[in-house]
Amino acid sequence: MKVMKFGGTSVGKPERMHQVATLITNETEPKIVVLSALSGTTNALSEISHQLSLGYKVPAKQKIDALETYYKNFIETLVVTKEGKDEAEKIIGEHFEFLNIILKISYSDALNKDILAQGELLSTKLFCVYLREKNIAHTFLPALEFMCIDENEEPRLERIVRRLNALLKDAKDETIFITQGYICRNAREEVDNLKRGGSDYTASLIAAAINASVCEIWTDIDGMHNNDPRVVDKTLPIEQLSFEEAA
Ligand code: ASP
Ligand code: MG
């Protein structure tokens, strides 16, 4: 069994999501597929949360509505059938209803974590709608049922192993499992996360927990480069570097 993780830009456009479906069906080895939120979503959610923490409900509501429009446009190209569109709209409806409800309740750190979790919940559920439309058999593995951290925010590997393997055992003939990166439960069993960029960490923890043959991190850049390719032209990947150099 292997682990394949796809980052925000790899699922950030409907056609990129289609490509992910091709990549995960290319070979037959069973796999757990870890997805991030669509690029830009976690930043948007974090801004919404920040505005709510300051009591700025009007701009928060505007951002929620803009994000909802973005997702509605996204599914227009993601799926083509009426059933697919209905299913995807229902998912968007549920998650944005939640975001609209939080406008009315008092802000807390736990609520912040709930808000931040919406991105990965949306990306994985919408991806599964597309897989169903394409008749690609798969099983949805809710990360909140197995990924967990302790009171020091460190992963509880033993518990992850136990919970994840129990879920996998329930579906032993399946070959494609879809789960969320980043999100987890904390020591109080509340929704929490593995910190920004944490989806890679999710993938590594899963790979360790299932003793995976390989953990593939699919991303828009082929490793650590000698400069920031968003700023500098023709950067090159560095083949080997120490933790200190990377940091
Ligand atoms: N979506 C989360 C973030 O943007 C986690 C991740 O992408 O790894 O930080
Ligand atoms: Mg990312």
Side-chain angles (χ1 to χ4, degrees):
M1 174 105 80
K2 69 187 220 175
V3 177
M4 298 173 86
K5 181 259 169 178
F6 296 90
T9 42
S10 307
V11 290
K13 296 215 169 71
E15 49 281 17
R16 299 298 298 271
M17 248 193 201
H18 297 165
Q19 244 175 318
V20 171
T22 308
L23 285 167
I24 64 170
T25 46
N26 259 348
E27 22 79 311
T28 51
E29 183 174 4
K31 55 192 67 80
I32 298 183
V33 178
V34 179
L35 301 186
S36 292
L38 311 196
S39 50
T41 295
T42 311
N43 283 345
L45 292 169
S46 159
E47 279 166 31
I48 290 165
S49 185
H50 180 63
Q51 283 171 335
L52 286 176
S53 74
L54 300 170
Y56 299 163
K57 296 200 175 186
V58 174
K61 170 71 177 150
Q62 283 166 350
K63 279 225 162 64
I64 293 170
D65 290 346
L67 195 61
E68 182 167 5
T69 305
Y70 178 84
Y71 274 85
K72 284 186 170 161
N73 290 330
F74 185 89
I75 60 164
E76 275 311 308
T77 328
L78 178 71
V79 284
V80 293
T81 59
K82 163 122 184 21
E83 303 81 75
K85 286 195 199 290
D86 286 351
E87 224 188 315
E89 254 165 44
K90 190 163 165 260
I91 290 163
I92 293 175
E94 283 162 7
H95 287 275
F96 282 89
E97 185 184 69
F98 170 76
L99 288 173
N100 278 295
I101 289 171
I102 53 144
L103 280 171
K104 299 182 194 130
I105 52 187
S106 52
Y107 187 84
S108 65
D109 188 45
L111 195 64
N112 171 44
K113 303 287 176 55
D114 273 323
I115 296 170
L116 292 173
Q118 301 306 306
E120 274 70 13
L121 292 170
L122 276 163
S123 65
T124 48
K125 289 184 190 176
L126 294 176
F127 183 59
C128 288
V129 173
Y130 176 67
L131 293 182
R132 269 192 293 281
E133 184 175 276
K134 288 278 159 195
N135 285 319
I136 299 170
H138 63 279
T139 300
F140 187 74
L141 282 181
L144 297 178
E145 287 182 19
F146 65 89
M147 192 50 72
C148 48
I149 51 175
D150 62 19
E151 42 293 316
N152 301 313
E153 306 193 323
E154 291 298 332
R156 305 169 103 151
L157 198 55
E158 258 172 53
R159 185 182 281 211
I160 297 167
V161 169
R162 194 159 20 86
R163 291 182 177 181
L164 178 56
N165 284 305
L167 290 172
L168 292 174
K169 225 169 116 195
D170 286 343
K172 46 178 181 332
D173 298 325
E174 298 289 346
T175 54
I176 298 177
F177 296 90
I178 312 295
T179 194
Q180 298 92 10
Y182 180 57
I183 62 173
C184 63
R185 293 221 177 250
N186 62 25
R188 295 178 298 281
E189 288 291 327
E190 298 159 341
V191 173
D192 209 314
N193 61 63
L194 301 174
K195 308 266 160 50
R196 294 303 306 272
S199 293
D200 291 5
Y201 196 21
T202 300
S204 318
L205 288 168
I206 292 176
I210 62 166
N211 205 357
S213 60
V214 59
C215 178
E216 293 177 353
I217 310 278
W218 290 74
T219 183
D220 50 346
I221 185 162
D222 52 350
M224 181 84 83
H225 275 221
N226 61 341
N227 215 317
D228 185 342
R230 289 171 300 190
V231 183
V232 178
D233 263 349
K234 298 196 176 75
T235 59
L236 295 167
I238 301 168
E239 264 181 40
Q240 248 185 17
L241 78 171
S242 67
F243 180 77
E244 283 72 24
E245 288 169 318

